[in-house]
Amino acid sequence: MKCLLIASESAEVLFYWTDPEFELNIQEQYGASQEDGENPPAFEDSINTLFAPIIISCSTMMDRLGDGYTSFSTENNHTYVLHQFDECLYIAVNGDGDEEEEDLKRKIYVMRKMIETLFGMVTLSSPLLRKELRPQDTEQRTRLWKHLQSLLQTYSHLREQDQSFLVEAVERLIHPTLCEQCIEFLERRLVQQINNSTERAGEEVLHAFILVHNKLLAFYSSRNASTLTSSDLLALIVMVQNMYPSNMDLEDSAPEDVDNTSGPDIFYTPEPSPSNRDSGTDGDSVSSGRYEESRHGGSSHVVSGTPVFQFVDPDIQMAEDSLQMLEAPPPDPATPSRVFLEVTLKEGCYPMMPHSMYCLPLWPGISLVLLTKIPNSNLAMSVYVFLEAFAKLEKRLSEGLEGSATRGQTSIQDLRNKLDKFIRVLGTADIQTSALQSVWTKFKDRAFTRGGLGFNKGLVPWCHSMKTQLCGVYKQCFITENTVGGGSPQRLSPILQDRALIMTQEKLIDWKDFLLVKKFPGLIHFIYIDRTAGQMIAPSLNITDRATSELGKGPLAQFIKGKIWGLVNTSRLYLQKGYSTVTLRDGDYFFCYFLWFENETGYKLEVKELPVLPEDSAPIGMLAWDYYRKLLRYYGKNHQGEVVKCFELLTVHLGVIPMEYIVQHCSQLARKLWEPSRIPLL
């Protein structure tokens, strides 16, 4: 019983997603009220009828009281969480008890993040965003909503099953030699050849990375590129997984394929699957999200005869993760996705800058992703600078600060000159500017009169209109009907993409990568997170009966998985209250959570009191809202001129282990894991 809805203030449905149970409940509720012989109402109409009173009530409260609902529960135990982004109201509902309020709030913020990634700065103009989310053409609207629904389902599945999306950090495959060689290959061969090619249609590859399911094997950024934020990278991984879902179950080998080798540390690697094996990339279901380090493709690596909690060697154990060559279906004609990502340059930070994303499937579960800069992307930077200027001016005028709005007369005049020049440049680029020119002319007539005395509250609506027109220009330049869930006509040639795919396959065909798993007596599981890089390391979790992970298989792994998910949620609650350390016992298990700061050399810095967050703050994480970036800025104020890094460690021990040993293990584990985290993947 789950639902997520986006609606306008006038109760117009802009997007909805429901699970089958919620949909059936709606159909039964509104279909039963029809007279005999009457057709049941369209499902969208039923959704609108159900939520309209809530939307109108919330809008009325905001208008009259300046305050609205954040959440409420009904008599039938349905939980509703609401959040207003500008003029769009997001409502998430749960009726089966599977999700708490915090989960629903997180889902809302992630949905907002995915929409920003797909529509960019159009999200800054509510009138334009409403038109984009609800196109007039029914087929186009259905296609867009299905794409957004699929993204939300993919994220929800990853959130439920995948450790990296649980803690919101990118998981890395750890094999220093392979990682370094792949980075060198991406830099010196792949990216260099593409950027030197005459078939790149003016595009430039800024980032290239290889994903094994959802794990990062190698990442390279060109010298001209900005750092790709962890939030953007996680959003891109959701999109890749949505395009090419990993079906782990189809990739499992039959039990008879596994040699009955005994011994606690012996790993078996079967032969590659036959070339005519079904690849599993066309399945309807999304990935289970498990990080199954012991197998990929059609083969299995099984640790045979190992008791679940037998720790025969406290040193490092290596679990093979084979990158075997499986026959993948031929790639579709090159159709990149338009995505909007944050760019940080020496001039400043520019959110939602346009890029093209190419996802090339190497084999089932293994993909090469290219992010390119498009030729006219500088226009987006100019649009953002003007939007920011008008937003600041609107804020000052709305607050009655007319004097401060005109105090910087030079900057106001500079804005006028630059915008005049910008509009002239747009005209030479065959971009429709008549509406922008008209509003800008009226703005100048009112603002620059009588020595600048036109700067008053009466100018606020014109600031708003200027922002809408600038977003309209941005939409013309970077968002077309086929860019969301489809592609852009301007792209790297298909031949160039095929060449990149083949080169990467040839590089990886004979390689096996390894997952580094560190074991200590009594340690059941751990998650180590470098929040500065936005990356994590953890042993695999496998919850099926057909395959084995470091936790065994089947019900036991499922039980431990539930404990780990609960620990992460609990640690976030305490982190929100300002706690950096949490230790608690749950039956036969002992859980620990630590957050700490280090300098660049690994020296642990003095613990500082963490800020306490209000209850209505965005969920702690990195995907929807980068809490840790703000935390590093907060802590770094007392360490000016010093690089400050943030780390987290979550551990699960057997409860019989003495407390002093658990603390010692955690300290040793953090030291051992620190060195691999310095591998230069990002």
Side-chain angles (χ1 to χ4, degrees), residues 433-495:
T433 61
S434 56
L436 173 62
Q437 180 71 67
S438 175
V439 174
W440 176 231
T441 299
K442 294 176 181 177
F443 180 95
K444 289 188 292 185
D445 290 343
R446 286 162 173 77
F448 299 101
T449 59
R450 299 188 302 276
L453 297 178
F455 283 90
N456 51 48
K457 283 191 176 182
L459 204 59
V460 169
W462 293 99
C463 289
H464 188 77
S465 297
M466 280 301 302
K467 292 191 296 181
T468 299
Q469 294 303 323
L470 286 166
C471 289
V473 169
Y474 178 94
K475 175 183 178 298
Q476 276 189 69
C477 296
F478 306 114
I479 297 181
T480 60
E481 182 178 334
N482 64 337
T483 55
V484 179
S488 168
Q490 193 173 38
R491 61 176 185 250
L492 304 176
S493 70
I495 295 176

Side-chain angles (χ1 to χ4, degrees), residues 220-263:
Y220 170 73
S221 296
S222 70
R223 290 175 177 82
N224 299 327
S226 166
T227 301
L228 186 63
T229 67
S230 300
S231 176
D232 285 342
L233 184 53
L234 285 167
L236 295 178
I237 291 175
V238 173
M239 295 178 67
V240 171
Q241 189 61 218
N242 188 61
M243 284 188 279
Y244 299 104
S246 301
N247 196 321
M248 296 283 194
D249 293 333
L250 291 181
E251 294 169 7
D252 282 342
S253 294
E256 57 266 26
D257 292 337
V258 182
D259 191 9
N260 291 323
T261 310
S262 63

Side-chain angles (χ1 to χ4, degrees), residues 172-456:
R172 304 175 305 151
L173 280 171
I174 302 298
H175 189 298
T177 302
L178 177 58
C179 291
E180 290 171 9
Q181 291 196 18
C182 284
I183 293 170
E184 183 178 354
F185 160 77
L186 293 175
E187 176 186 8
R188 299 185 180 180
R189 292 191 57 197
L190 187 73
V191 174
Q192 193 173 91
Q193 285 194 24
I194 293 175
N195 287 344
N196 291 335
S197 173
T198 58
E199 302 173 17
R200 60 188 178 94
E203 294 195 355
E204 176 189 356
V205 177
L206 298 178
H207 308 280
F209 55 94
I210 300 171
L211 291 173
V212 180
H213 296 300
N214 303 322
K215 290 184 182 178
L216 193 63
L217 173 62
F219 190 105
Y220 170 73
S221 296
S222 70
R223 290 175 177 82
N224 299 327
S226 166
T227 301
L228 186 63
T229 67
S230 300
S231 176
D232 285 342
L233 184 53
L234 285 167
L236 295 178
I237 291 175
V238 173
M239 295 178 67
V240 171
Q241 189 61 218
N242 188 61
M243 284 188 279
Y244 299 104
S246 301
N247 196 321
M248 296 283 194
D249 293 333
L250 291 181
E251 294 169 7
D252 282 342
S253 294
E256 57 266 26
D257 292 337
V258 182
D259 191 9
N260 291 323
T261 310
S262 63
D265 292 320
I266 297 177
F267 296 82
Y268 172 73
T269 308
E271 294 299 318
S273 300
S275 60
N276 61 353
R277 167 110 180 214
D278 181 279
S279 66
T281 56
D282 295 326
D284 292 332
S285 62
V286 299
S287 166
S288 64
R290 300 188 310 268
Y291 281 148
E292 166 90 32
E293 278 65 45
S294 57
R295 57 174 170 73
H296 284 296
S299 63
S300 297
H301 296 183
V302 176
V303 185
S304 301
T306 306
V308 174
F309 296 121
Q310 178 178 346
F311 301 97
V312 297
D313 188 350
D315 295 329
I316 299 171
Q317 297 180 355
M318 307 297 286
E320 291 183 320
D321 195 7
S322 175
L323 299 179
Q324 303 203 358
M325 186 181 74
L326 300 176
E327 185 176 15
D332 295 332
T335 52
S337 300
R338 179 61 47 80
V339 293
F340 299 90
L341 312 171
E342 181 180 306
V343 170
T344 302
L345 304 173
K346 60 182 180 180
E347 295 87 0
C349 178
Y350 300 89
M352 296 178 279
M353 292 294 109
H355 296 71
S356 287
M357 182 180 77
Y358 300 81
C359 183
L360 309 179
L362 304 174
W363 301 284
I366 305 177
S367 301
L368 168 68
V369 181
L370 303 175
L371 292 174
T372 66
K373 176 183 178 181
I374 59 179
N376 59 342
S377 60
N378 287 338
L379 286 176
M381 293 186 181
S382 298
V383 169
Y384 177 74
V385 170
F386 293 133
L387 282 172
E388 194 175 41
F390 281 107
K392 289 180 179 178
L393 179 61
E394 181 181 359
K395 183 175 184 295
R396 290 171 183 168
L397 294 176
S398 299
E399 295 172 351
L401 303 176
E402 291 88 349
S404 64
T406 57
R407 190 174 297 134
Q409 195 66 36
T410 303
S411 61
I412 290 291
Q413 191 62 44
D414 186 49
L415 172 66
R416 178 179 183 174
N417 295 336
K418 286 183 177 179
L419 191 49
D420 284 334
K421 181 179 179 181
F422 178 70
I423 293 175
R424 288 195 298 270
V425 171
L426 292 178
T428 61
D430 295 328
I431 297 171
Q432 295 294 325
T433 61
S434 56
L436 173 62
Q437 180 71 67
S438 175
V439 174
W440 176 231
T441 299
K442 294 176 181 177
F443 180 95
K444 289 188 292 185
D445 290 343
R446 286 162 173 77
F448 299 101
T449 59
R450 299 188 302 276
L453 297 178
F455 283 90
N456 51 48

Side-chain angles (χ1 to χ4, degrees), residues 603-623:
Y603 178 77
K604 187 175 180 181
L605 302 176
E606 183 181 355
V607 177
K608 181 181 179 180
E609 186 176 343
L610 301 182
V612 178
L613 303 181
E615 290 187 2
D616 61 348
S617 63
I620 289 176
M622 300 187 81
L623 174 55

Side-chain angles (χ1 to χ4, degrees), residues 555-569:
L556 176 64
Q558 178 69 64
F559 176 77
I560 298 299
K561 171 182 173 290
K563 295 290 186 182
I564 293 166
W565 260 242
L567 170 61
V568 171
N569 292 333

